[in-house]
C-alpha cells in the first residue's frame, strides 16, 4: 500500500440485501485420497470461479480446516486413514468448525451410511460419478445457506451488542459510564486490541474520554495524543462522501484504515512520533460522533496484529453505534442543561427576598422558599401540607372589594390572579404584618398549582406613617408652609397659610403665587429665584406680603429649593411667619429709645448751656440772669436724676430684680402718710386734699404702695386747677362688687368713659379686695389715651412733662407695683370733669382690721 | 444789622439757656416761642433771619411746624435749623430730606452751636 490509508476499503457500510455468493470469495476444501475424484471436482468447480484447496488424507483435512478456514468441505466418506464420519466427529468440538458445511462424497447410496453421515453433521451428499449441474447447484446452495447462517449469526451478535450499548445509554445519565460500557463491549465484539472514544478539542488535539485495551496493549502513557491526522476528513468531506443510503441520523460513516509494513516504515522515518507507530496500529476503525452537525469526537477501534481484521460489517456497526453515542452525548448535554437551569431556578427561589409559596388546589402548601421561611418564621418541614390560611388572614374590605368569585379557588382569601394586593400576614410568633401579595396560576400535568409571591411591606407602612406624621407637622404648623413650581404655581398650602393669607387651599392651589406679592416686591422674588437656581441653599429674609383682603403683612420668609431626583431645582418650599408683632415690639423699642434719648438730652442741653454761660463769664453768677441760669441748671439736674431713678426703678421692677417685700401693714396708715407727703405740693397748687383711710392690715410692701399712692396723688394735683379737690378713698369690697363696678364704668355710653383694666384681667377672684381710688377735678383724659397712659412715656400731652415735672414713667411704675401685689390698676375719666385712678389690693385671709380712722379734712 | 433768630422749643429751660447763650456770645437777638403754633405766629409777624426749631414738641412737632412755615408765603424763605435730641442717622436723614438748612444735635456747647449756625446759614462774623 502506498498511502497510509487503503481508500479502497473505506466505503459505505455493508447494506447488501441479496444473498448470491461471490465464488471468488469462497474457498472449498476437497478431501479425497482418489486423484481422479480430485481432478474431476477441480475441473467442475474451478471454471465456476471457486477457490480450491485439497487434502489427501483425513489428517491433512483436519489441518487444512483449521488453517485455511474453508467455506465448504467436500469430504470423501471412504478415506483410508480416518473414516469420513470420524473426521466430522473431530470437527464438532470446535465452535468455529462446528458450523462449517460438509458435503459427503460417496460411491454408493447406502441409505444406512447416509443416515450416519447426516447424524454426524453432514449437510448433504453427492454420489459418484458426479453430475456437474447437481454438484454446482448443491455447492452454491450450501455456500449461500452458510453465508446466510453466518450473516444471521453475526447480525444477532451485532444486535446483541447494539442493544447492550443502547441500554447503557438509557441506563446511564453519566456519559462516562455509557462510553466506558460501549468501548468494553466493542473490544470484545470486534476482537479489537484497543477501543476508545475521543472528544475533539481545539484541532488537532483530542481528549480520550473512554479507553479499554487487551492486556497485550496497555494504554499508551500520554492519553492526550493528537488523534486528528493530517488527512483527517473534515465533516464536510464526511457529508459529501456519505452514501445516500446512510441511516437516517448518521451523518458521518465509519472509515477503515489499514497500515502495511511498508507504510509503517515510511511513517516511522518521516513521523517518528506518529500515532500509528506509537500505538502499533495495524487496522483502525473510526466512526465520527456528530452532534448538531458538528464533529464532537470519534469512536475508534484498533487491531494491533491483523491488518485484515475488519470489513464492511464492522464499519456499519461502528457507524450505528457512533450515531447512538451522538444521541447519548446530546442527552447528557440536555440533562446537564436541565440540571443547570434547575439549580439556577432553585437558587433564585431560595435566595429571593420575597416569599414564594406554592399551594395545590386544596390550598395546601407544597413549596416554601427561604424568603418565606425568613418572613414567616416557619421552616419548610413545619409548614409543608398546611393550609395557606395559616399564613394569611384576609382584610374584609379587600375581600369585598377585589374578590372575583370563580376566578380561582384563592378567592376565599380575597385574591385574584395578577393583582397586587395588601393583605395581612401572620408570622409563627403570631405577630401580624402588612403584606403585598400577588399570585399566578399554573397547570402542571392537569393539576392546578398556585404560586404566591409575598412581600413584607411593614417598612413601607412605617415610611408611610412617618410621611403622614411629617405631613401633619406641616399641615398643623402655625407658620404658613406652602410649595410652588419655579414659575410660581402653588402646589401645596397648609392651614397656617390659610390663616396668614386668608386664601383656602382650593382657592389658591394651582394658581400663581404672584397674588401674594406686592408689585414693588416682584423684583426681589425674581432675584431670589436666580440665586436658588444657581445652587444657593435656603434664603431667609423679611418682606411684605399681601393677604386675600388686600392688606399687607410683615413676614419672615424661608425659601428653600425643592430638588428632583436629578438634583436639580424643581420647585420651592416657602415658610412664612407673621412678624407683625415683632415689628410692633421693635417699633416700640425704637420709640422708647428715642424718647429716653430725648428725655435725657433735653435737660443735659440746659445744664451744659448754663454751666458754659457761667464758666465763660458771659453771664455773671451773681447777676439776676446768673441766678436764673443756675436755677434752670439745678431743676434740669433734678429732672435728670428723677428720670434716671425712674428708668432704673422700672427696669428693676419689671425684670424682677427687685422683690416686693410683703408684710402686714395698715393701709390707713399708708394713706395718711401719702397725703402728708403731698400736702405741701397741694397747698402750693391751692388744691384741697381729702382722704378716707381704710384701717385694714394687708400683705404689702409699704414703701412701694406708698410710692403708688404719692404718684397717683402727685399726678392728680398736677393736672387739677387751683381751688379744686383731690380725694383718696379706700373701700373693702368683694371681688364680685369690684367687677360690677368695672362693668358699670365700662358700659357708660360716653366715649370718654371707657375704662381699662390692665395687668391681670378683671378676674372673678375668690378673695375680697381693697379698692383704692384717687379722684380729681382736672381736665380729664381722652378716651383713646386711657389705655396707653400706663405705658412708658405715654403722657396725655408730652409737654406735661416739662410743665408739670413728670417724665412719663410714673404710671408704668405704679402698674408694675400693683401687678406684683396681685392687684389691678385702671383709670376712668370724663374730659374737663376729672379723672379717677383705681387700684386694687387683695385681702389675705389673715387680714386684720386696724383701728378706725376718721377722714382727714383739708 | 443785628441778626434776629426765632427759637421754637417747648422745654422752658432749654429755651432760656439757648436764648441767653446766643444773645451773650453771638450778640444775636433771640425771639422765643414754646410751641409750633406760637412760633408760627411770631415768625409771620417778626420775619426773623433764621428759625431754630425743636423737633420733639407736643401738638405740632418740628417737621409739622416746618411744613406750615414752608406753606406760608411770608415765611417760606426763612432758613430753618432743627434742634434734635434724637441721634439716629436715619432720623436725621429724613429730617434733612424735608429741605431744612441743617440739624444741630442736643446737647451742644455754646461756641460750637454758634459756629454751626453761622456755617449752616453762611453768616460771617459780625464786627
Amino acid at each position: 500500500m502506498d498511502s497510509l490509508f487503503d481508500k479502497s476499503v473505506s466505503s459505505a457500510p455493508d447494506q447488501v440485501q441479496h444473498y448470491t455468493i461471490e465464488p471468488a470469495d469462497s474457498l472449498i476444501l476437497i478431501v479425497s485420497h482418489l486423484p481422479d475424484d480430485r481432478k474431476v471436482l477441480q475441473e467442475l468447480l474451478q471454471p465456476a470461479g471457486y477457490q480450491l484447496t485439497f487434502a489427501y488424507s483425513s489428517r491433512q483435512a483436519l489441518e487444512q480446516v483449521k488453517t485455511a478456514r474453508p467455506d465448504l468441505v467436500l469430504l470423501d466418506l471412504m478415506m483410508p486413514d480416518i473414516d469420513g464420519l470420524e473426521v466430522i466427529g473431530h470437527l464438532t468440538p470446535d465452535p468455529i468448525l462446528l458450523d462449517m458445511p460438509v458435503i459427503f462424497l460417496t460411491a454408493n447410496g447406502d441409505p444406512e451410511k447416509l443416515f450416519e453421515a447426516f447424524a454426524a453433521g453432514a449437510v448433504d451428499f453427492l454420489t459418484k460419478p458426479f453430475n456437474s449441474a447437481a454438484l454446482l447447484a448443491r455447492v452454491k446452495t450450501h455456500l449461500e445457506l452458510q453465508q446466510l447462517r453466518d450473516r444471521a449469526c453475526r447480525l444477532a451478535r451485532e444486535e446483541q451488542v447494539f442493544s447492550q450499548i443502547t441500554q447503557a445509554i438509557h441506563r446511564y445519565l453519566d456519559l462516562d459510564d455509557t462510553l466506558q460500557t460501549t468501548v468494553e463491549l466493542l473490544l470484545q465484539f470486534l476482537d479489537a486490541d484497543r477501543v476508545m472514544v475521543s472528544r475533539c478539542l481545539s484541532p488537532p488535539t483530542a481528549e480520550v474520554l473512554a479507553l479499554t485495551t487487551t492486556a497485550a496493549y496497555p494504554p499508551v502513557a500520554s492519553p492526550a495524543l493528537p488523534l486528528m491526522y493530517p488527512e483527517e476528513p473534515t465533516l464536510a468531506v464526511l457529508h459529501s462522501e456519505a452514501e445516500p443510503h446512510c441511516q437516517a441520523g448518521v451523518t458521518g460513516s465509519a472509515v477503515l484504515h489499514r497500515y502495511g509494513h511498508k507504510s509503517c516504515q515510511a511513517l516511522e522515518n518521516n513521523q517518528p512520533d506518529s500515532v500509528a507507530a506509537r500505538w502499533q496500529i495495524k487496522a483502525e476503525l473510526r466512526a465520527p460522533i456528530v452532534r448538531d452537525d458538528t464533529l464532537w469526537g470519534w469512536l475508534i477501534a484498533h487491531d494491533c496484529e491483523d491488518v485484515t481484521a475488519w470489513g464492511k460489517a464492522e464499519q456499519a456497526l461502528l457507524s450505528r453505534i457512533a450515531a447512538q453515542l451522538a444521541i447519548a452525548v446530546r442527552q447528557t448535554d440536555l440533562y446537564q442543561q436541565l440540571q443547570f437551569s434547575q439549580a439556577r431556578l432553585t437558587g433564585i427561589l431560595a435566595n429571593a427576598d420575597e416569599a414564594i409559596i406554592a399551594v395545590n388546589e386544596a390550598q395546601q402548601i407544597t413549596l416554601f422558599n427561604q424568603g418565606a421561611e425568613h418572613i414567616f418564621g416557619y421552616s419548610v418541614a413545619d409548614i409543608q401540607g398546611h393550609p395557606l390560611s395559616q399564613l394569611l388572614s384576609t382584610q374584609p374590605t379587600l375581600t369585598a372589594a377585589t374578590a372575583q368569585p370563580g376566578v380561582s379557588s384563592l378567592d376565599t382569601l380575597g385574591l385574584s390572579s395578577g393583582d397586587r394586593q395588601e393583605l395581612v400576614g401572620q408570622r409563627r410568633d403570631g405577630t401580624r404584618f402588612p403584606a403585598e401579595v400577588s399570585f399566578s396560576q399554573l397547570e402542571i400535568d392537569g393539576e392546578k398549582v398556585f404560586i404566591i409571591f409575598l412581600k413584607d411591606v411593614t417598612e413601607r407602612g412605617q415610611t408611610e406613617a412617618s410621611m403622614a406624621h411629617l405631613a401633619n407637622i406641616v399641615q398643623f404648623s402655625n407658620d404658613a408652609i406652602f410649595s410652588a413650581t419655579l414659575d410660581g404655581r402653588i402646589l401645596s398650602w397648609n392651614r397656617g397659610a390659610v390663616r396668614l393669607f386668608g386664601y383656602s387651599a382650593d382657592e389658591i392651589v394651582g394658581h400663581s403665587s404672584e397674588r401674594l406679592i406686592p408689585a414693588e416686591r416682584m423684583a426681589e422674588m425674581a432675584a431670589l429665584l436666580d440665586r436658588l437656581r444657581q445652587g444657593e441653599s435656603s434664603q431667609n429674609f423679611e418682606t411684605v406680603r399681601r393677604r386675600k383682603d388686600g392688606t399687607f403683612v410683615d413676614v419672615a420668609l424661608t425659601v428653600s429649593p425643592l430638588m428632583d431626583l436629578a438634583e436639580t431645582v424643581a420647585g420651592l418650599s416657602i415658610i412664612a411667619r407673621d412678624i407683625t408683632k415683632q415689628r410692633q415690639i421693635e417699633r416700640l423699642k425704637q420709640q422708647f429709645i428715642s424718647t429716653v434719648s430725648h428725655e435725657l438730652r433735653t435737660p443735659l442741653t440746659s445744664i451744659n448751656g448754663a454751666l458754659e454761660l457761667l464758666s465763660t463769664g458771659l453771664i455773671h453768677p451773681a447777676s439776676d440772669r446768673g441766678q436764673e441760669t443756675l436755677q434752670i441748671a439745678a431743676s434740669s439736674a433734678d429732672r435728670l436724676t428723677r428720670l434716671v431713678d425712674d428708668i432704673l426703678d422700672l427696669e428693676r421692677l419689671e425684670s424682677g430684680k427687685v422683690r416686693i417685700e410683703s408684710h402686714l401693714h395698715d393701709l390707713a396708715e399708708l394713706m395718711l402718710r401719702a397725703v402728708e407727703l403731698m400736702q405741701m405740693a397741694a397747698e402750693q397748687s391751692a388744691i384741697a386734699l381729702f382722704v378716707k383711710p381704710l384701717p385694714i392690715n394687708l400683705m404689702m410692701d409699704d414703701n412701694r404702695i406708698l410710692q403708688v399712692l404719692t404718684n397717683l396723688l402727685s399726678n392728680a394735683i398736677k393736672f387739677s386747677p387751683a381751688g379744686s379737690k383731690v380725694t383718696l378713698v379706700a373701700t373693702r369690697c368683694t371681688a364680685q362688687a369690684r367687677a360690677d363696678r368695672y362693668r358699670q364704668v365700662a358700659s357708660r355710653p360716653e366715649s370718654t368713659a371707657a375704662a381699662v383694666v390692665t395687668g391681670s384681667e378683671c378676674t372673678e377672684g375668690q378673695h375680697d379686695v381693697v379698692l383704692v381710688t384717687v379722684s380729681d377735678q382736672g381736665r380729664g383724659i381722652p378716651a383713646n389715651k386711657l389705655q396707653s397712659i400706663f405705658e412708658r412715656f405715654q403722657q396725655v400731652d408730652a409737654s406735661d412733662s416739662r410743665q408739670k415735672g413728670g417724665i412719663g414713667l410714673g404710671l408704668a411704675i405704679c402698674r408694675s407695683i400693683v401687678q406684683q401685689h396681685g392687684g389691678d390698676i385702671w383709670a376712668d375719666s370724663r374730659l374737663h370733669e376729672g379723672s379717677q385712678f383705681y387700684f386694687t389690693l387683695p385681702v389675705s385671709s389673715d387680714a386684720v382690721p386696724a383701728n378706725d380712722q376718721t377722714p382727714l379734712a383739708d | 444789622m443785628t441778626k434776629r433768630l426765632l427759637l421754637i422749643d417747648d422745654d422752658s429751660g432749654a429755651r432760656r439757656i439757648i436764648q441767653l447763650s446766643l444773645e451773650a456770645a453771638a450778640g444775636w437777638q433771640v425771639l422765643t416761642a414754646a410751641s409750633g403754633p406760637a412760633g408760627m405766629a411770631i415768625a409771620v409777624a417778626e420775619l426773623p433771619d433764621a428759625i431754630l426749631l425743636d423737633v420733639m414738641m407736643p401738638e405740632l412737632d418740628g417737621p409739622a411746624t416746618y411744613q406750615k412755615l414752608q406753606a406760608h408765603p411770608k415765611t417760606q424763605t426763612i432758613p430753618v435749623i432743627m434742634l434734635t435730641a434724637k441721634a439716629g442717622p436715619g432720623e436725621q436723614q429724613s429730617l434733612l430730606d424735608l429741605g431744612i438748612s441743617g440739624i444741630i444735635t442736643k446737647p451742644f456747647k455754646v461756641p460750637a452751636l454758634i459756629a454751626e449756625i453761622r456755617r449752616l446759614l453762611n453768616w460771617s462774623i459780625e464786627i
Side-chain angles (χ1 to χ4, degrees):
Chain A
M1 283 193 285
D2 291 337
S3 80
L4 270 175
F5 310 115
D6 180 3
K7 301 272 182 179
S8 64
V9 292
S10 70
S11 69
D14 185 3
Q15 293 296 322
V16 181
Q17 297 294 315
H18 52 91
Y19 303 109
T20 52
I21 53 135
E22 195 60 52
D25 289 343
S26 301
L27 179 66
I28 298 172
L29 171 64
I30 297 164
V31 184
S32 179
H33 61 285
L34 302 173
D36 289 347
D37 283 2
R38 295 203 298 269
K39 196 182 174 196
V40 168
L41 288 170
Q42 185 179 9
E43 282 168 358
L44 284 173
L45 291 170
Q46 211 151 29
Y50 294 106
Q51 302 280 321
L52 300 178
T53 183
F54 300 91
Y56 315 109
S57 66
S58 291
R59 288 183 210 285
Q60 197 186 357
L62 285 171
E63 285 300 309
Q64 286 268 42
V65 163
K66 281 172 187 165
T67 53
R69 298 280 179 91
D71 297 300
L72 181 74
V73 181
L74 297 177
L75 172 66
D76 197 337
L77 205 56
M78 303 299 284
M79 291 295 283
D81 52 347
I82 302 168
D83 184 72
L85 289 172
E86 224 175 302
V87 171
I88 293 178
H90 284 293
L91 290 178
T92 44
D94 189 331
I96 299 171
L97 302 180
L98 181 64
D99 290 336
M100 190 176 293
V102 178
I103 298 174
F104 280 103
L105 307 175
T106 176
N108 55 38
D110 178 6
E112 204 168 319
K113 254 316 189 209
L114 287 177
F115 180 77
E116 278 179 43
F118 281 120
V123 295
D124 209 346
F125 67 95
L126 287 168
T127 47
K128 300 175 195 177
F130 302 118
N131 177 299
S132 163
L135 173 71
L136 285 174
R138 289 188 181 199
V139 164
K140 187 175 179 241
T141 300
H142 285 291
L143 277 173
E144 278 176 359
L145 273 171
Q146 182 59 31
Q147 187 177 311
L148 278 172
R149 199 165 53 224
D150 283 352
R151 184 187 297 275
C153 254
R154 204 190 63 230
L155 277 175
R157 285 177 59 220
E158 246 185 57
E159 283 311 312
Q160 196 185 355
V161 169
F162 188 75
S163 88
Q164 279 173 327
I165 289 170
T166 311
Q167 273 175 24
I169 288 170
H170 289 164
R171 191 162 58 241
Y172 302 125
L173 283 170
D174 182 22
L175 186 65
D176 290 343
D177 290 345
T178 306
L179 299 181
Q180 195 59 40
T181 306
T182 304
V183 294
E184 279 166 14
L185 284 166
L186 279 176
L187 185 80
Q188 207 182 347
F189 179 74
L190 293 174
D191 196 18
D193 293 307
R194 184 185 300 118
V195 180
M196 63 183 156
V197 175
S198 71
R199 174 167 192 182
C200 299
L201 300 178
S202 55
T205 57
E207 172 194 18
V208 175
L209 296 182
L211 171 68
T212 188
T213 62
T214 53
Y217 299 92
V220 178
S222 65
L225 282 170
L227 292 175
M228 303 274 285
Y229 306 124
E231 293 86 354
E232 193 72 64
T234 62
L235 199 61
V237 173
L238 289 172
H239 276 294
S240 68
E241 286 182 350
E243 299 274 328
H245 56 265
C246 277
Q247 276 183 15
V250 179
T251 51
S253 307
V255 284
L256 177 59
H257 306 296
R258 284 180 178 149
Y259 302 89
H261 291 289
K262 194 178 160 194
S263 47
C264 276
Q265 204 70 39
L267 190 133
E268 277 162 21
N269 288 341
N270 299 330
Q271 296 170 281
D273 200 25
S274 93
V275 178
R278 287 196 49 198
W279 291 56
Q280 297 173 269
I281 304 168
K282 291 284 189 297
E284 183 193 78
L285 260 179
R286 53 163 60 210
I289 301 169
V290 177
R291 196 202 59 182
D292 296 338
D293 287 346
T294 311
L295 181 66
W296 180 86
W298 295 96
L299 171 60
I300 303 166
H302 289 155
D303 196 310
C304 299
E305 289 175 348
D306 184 4
V307 173
T308 63
W310 301 306
K312 288 177 182 176
E314 286 77 15
Q315 266 180 274
L317 176 67
L318 216 64
S319 297
R320 286 178 69 200
I321 290 170
Q324 288 299 311
L325 289 184
I327 292 168
V329 166
R330 206 180 154 74
Q331 173 183 296
T332 308
D333 280 358
L334 284 174
Y335 178 66
Q336 277 173 355
Q337 277 174 16
L338 197 69
Q339 272 187 322
F340 177 70
S341 69
Q342 178 103 22
R344 210 170 43 178
L345 254 181
T346 309
I348 290 169
L349 266 181
N351 295 322
D353 281 341
E354 284 191 10
I356 302 173
I357 302 164
V359 297
N360 59 18
E361 240 176 318
Q363 299 203 16
Q364 288 165 327
I365 294 162
T366 56
L367 182 146
F368 202 69
N369 78 334
Q370 275 182 20
E373 288 183 330
H374 181 70
I375 289 174
F376 287 98
Y378 290 104
S379 70
V380 181
D382 294 335
I383 201 75
Q384 193 113 29
H386 287 249
L388 181 64
S389 55
Q390 193 170 331
L391 303 177
L392 286 174
S393 53
T394 47
Q395 286 179 327
T397 50
L398 261 178
T399 310
T402 58
Q404 295 166 31
V407 168
S408 79
S409 58
L410 283 186
D411 56 23
T412 54
L413 276 173
L415 277 171
S416 58
S417 180
D419 293 343
R420 280 195 170 267
Q421 291 167 44
E422 289 249 334
L423 298 179
V424 177
Q426 186 161 3
R427 294 187 228 276
R428 186 179 201 167
D429 62 12
T431 55
R432 292 172 166 228
F433 63 95
E436 192 182 78
V437 182
S438 65
F439 85 97
S440 59
Q441 187 179 324
L442 303 176
E443 201 163 308
I444 299 172
D445 291 338
E447 199 179 320
K448 272 185 188 163
V449 177
F450 302 97
I451 311 289
I452 290 144
F453 304 90
L454 180 143
K455 213 183 245 179
D456 182 349
V457 291
T458 306
E459 241 169 66
R460 189 196 297 167
Q462 283 164 352
T463 309
E464 280 166 8
S466 72
M467 292 293 284
H469 184 62
L470 276 180
N472 262 340
I473 291 174
V474 170
Q475 185 60 255
F476 293 102
S477 165
N478 250 338
D479 292 337
I481 302 176
F482 58 103
S483 61
T485 58
L486 283 181
D487 54 8
R489 200 162 45 80
I490 287 172
L491 299 171
S492 68
W493 192 252
N494 78 339
R495 296 189 184 194
V498 175
R499 269 196 302 276
L500 180 59
F501 294 106
Y503 290 101
S504 69
D506 286 346
E507 284 172 325
I508 201 154
V509 169
H511 294 279
S512 170
S513 61
E514 282 186 7
R515 61 178 69 180
L516 305 174
I517 308 170
E520 67 271 16
R521 300 283 182 167
M522 288 292 183
E524 164 192 285
M525 202 63 202
L528 171 90
L529 272 178
D530 278 349
R531 285 201 298 279
L532 289 177
R533 278 206 192 92
Q534 280 159 19
E536 287 193 28
S537 54
S538 301
Q539 303 283 316
N540 297 298
F541 59 103
E542 291 182 0
T543 184
V544 179
R545 286 290 176 265
R546 190 167 51 209
R547 294 194 180 94
K548 185 185 178 185
D549 62 11
T551 58
F552 295 99
V553 56
D554 288 319
V555 289
L557 287 188
T558 301
V559 182
S560 310
L562 290 174
M563 299 298 188
D564 61 13
L565 290 175
E567 293 286 302
T568 55
V569 182
L572 304 172
S573 86
I574 300 137
I575 303 175
R577 173 170 291 181
D578 185 349
I579 54 166
T580 310
K581 272 210 172 134
Q582 284 98 306
R583 281 281 163 89
Q584 272 173 353
I585 289 166
E586 276 167 29
R587 271 196 290 273
L588 280 175
K589 207 165 122 191
Q590 199 54 48
Q591 206 179 344
F592 176 71
I593 290 166
S594 282
T595 310
V596 170
S597 168
H598 182 264
E599 295 299 324
L600 288 171
R601 282 164 191 264
T602 300
L604 270 177
T605 305
S606 300
I607 294 164
N608 266 356
L611 291 175
E612 214 168 356
L613 283 172
L614 295 169
S615 66
T616 54
L618 285 170
I619 291 175
H620 196 275
S623 67
D624 288 347
R625 282 187 169 188
Q627 288 300 305
E628 188 193 353
T629 305
L630 277 171
Q631 185 60 46
I632 292 169
S635 69
S636 295
D638 270 356
R639 201 172 132 209
L640 205 55
T641 306
R642 277 204 316 275
L643 179 63
V644 171
D645 283 350
D646 281 359
I647 288 172
L648 293 176
D649 198 19
L650 185 60
E651 199 277 329
R652 283 198 296 259
L653 278 168
E654 292 194 342
S655 66
K657 278 178 191 156
V658 172
R659 283 195 59 81
I660 297 294
E661 297 202 4
S662 290
H663 299 285
L664 277 178
H665 291 285
D666 181 11
L667 180 64
E669 192 196 317
L670 284 181
M671 291 170 76
L672 290 171
R673 270 174 66 193
V675 169
E676 201 180 311
L677 282 171
M678 298 314 296
Q679 196 63 51
M680 190 189 281
E683 280 170 8
Q684 280 174 359
S685 303
I687 308 284
L689 264 183
F690 293 89
V691 62
K692 189 185 176 187
L694 176 68
I696 185 168
N697 281 329
L698 297 175
M699 285 298 290
M700 57 185 169
D701 186 324
D702 54 344
N703 284 327
R704 287 298 180 183
I705 296 302
L706 189 61
Q707 192 180 356
V708 173
L709 291 171
T710 53
N711 256 333
L712 294 177
L713 286 172
S714 166
N715 277 348
I717 291 164
K718 271 185 224 163
F719 297 105
S720 293
S724 64
K725 60 177 184 180
V726 168
T727 316
L728 172 61
V729 177
T731 52
R732 182 173 176 169
C733 60
T734 61
Q736 187 59 48
R738 182 183 63 82
D740 290 346
R741 184 185 180 86
Y742 166 73
R743 270 195 287 273
Q744 184 196 338
V745 169
S747 63
R748 290 221 304 267
E750 300 83 20
S751 62
T752 52
V756 171
V757 174
T758 62
S760 56
E761 289 294 318
C762 181
T763 49
E764 312 286 313
Q766 291 90 352
H767 300 295
D768 290 351
V769 293
V770 168
L771 178 70
V772 182
T773 312
V774 175
S775 311
D776 66 49
Q777 296 171 321
R779 66 188 187 195
I781 303 162
N784 63 348
K785 296 275 187 177
L786 276 174
Q787 190 166 6
S788 61
I789 49 171
F790 291 96
E791 303 293 334
R792 304 170 199 187
F793 301 111
Q794 293 293 328
Q795 288 130 319
V796 174
D797 190 322
S799 62
D800 290 347
S801 62
R802 322 293 196 267
Q803 291 162 3
K804 312 291 181 184
I807 46 164
L809 290 174
L811 286 176
I813 291 169
C814 288
R815 182 180 67 171
S816 187
I817 292 169
V818 170
Q819 282 175 3
Q820 293 200 38
H821 278 82
D824 295 330
I825 187 166
W826 70 97
D828 179 23
S829 182
R830 292 184 186 205
L831 269 180
H832 313 302
E833 287 183 21
S835 308
Q836 290 82 45
F837 281 81
Y838 304 96
F839 73 92
T840 61
L841 290 170
V843 177
S844 51
S845 50
D846 51 354
V848 186
N851 294 330
D852 199 14
Q853 297 275 337
T854 49
L856 187 95
D858 188 28
Chain B
M1 199 177 162
T2 307
K3 300 286 186 193
R4 287 198 311 155
L5 285 165
L6 170 59
L7 169 63
I8 308 171
D9 195 329
D10 66 316
D11 188 273
S12 58
R15 201 164 62 231
R16 185 66 178 138
I17 292 296
I18 293 167
Q19 184 186 30
L20 288 174
S21 300
L22 296 181
E23 284 178 353
W28 297 326
Q29 188 188 342
V30 179
L31 309 170
T32 62
S35 70
M40 183 72 203
I42 294 170
V44 171
E46 298 290 332
L47 298 177
D49 295 308
I51 297 169
L52 298 181
L53 178 59
D54 188 28
V55 171
M56 206 166 180
M57 290 188 294
E59 294 170 56
L60 208 60
D61 68 359
T65 306
Y66 176 72
Q67 306 275 8
K68 289 212 159 197
L69 289 166
Q70 286 294 296
H72 199 286
K74 282 193 169 177
T75 56
Q76 63 187 359
T77 56
I78 301 173
V80 173
I81 294 172
M82 294 237 188
L83 302 177
T84 177
K86 293 183 180 178
E91 288 167 308
Q92 293 207 8
Q93 189 55 50
S94 61
L95 291 173
L96 286 170
D97 290 346
L98 293 170
I100 58 173
S101 299
I103 294 171
I104 289 169
T105 312
K106 294 178 189 176
F108 40 71
K109 299 256 181 207
V110 175
L113 171 68
I114 294 164
E116 187 64 7
I117 293 169
R118 283 206 172 106
R119 190 186 68 80
L120 290 172
L121 299 176
N122 208 15
W123 287 351
S124 55
I125 299 168
E126 297 127 48
I127 302 148

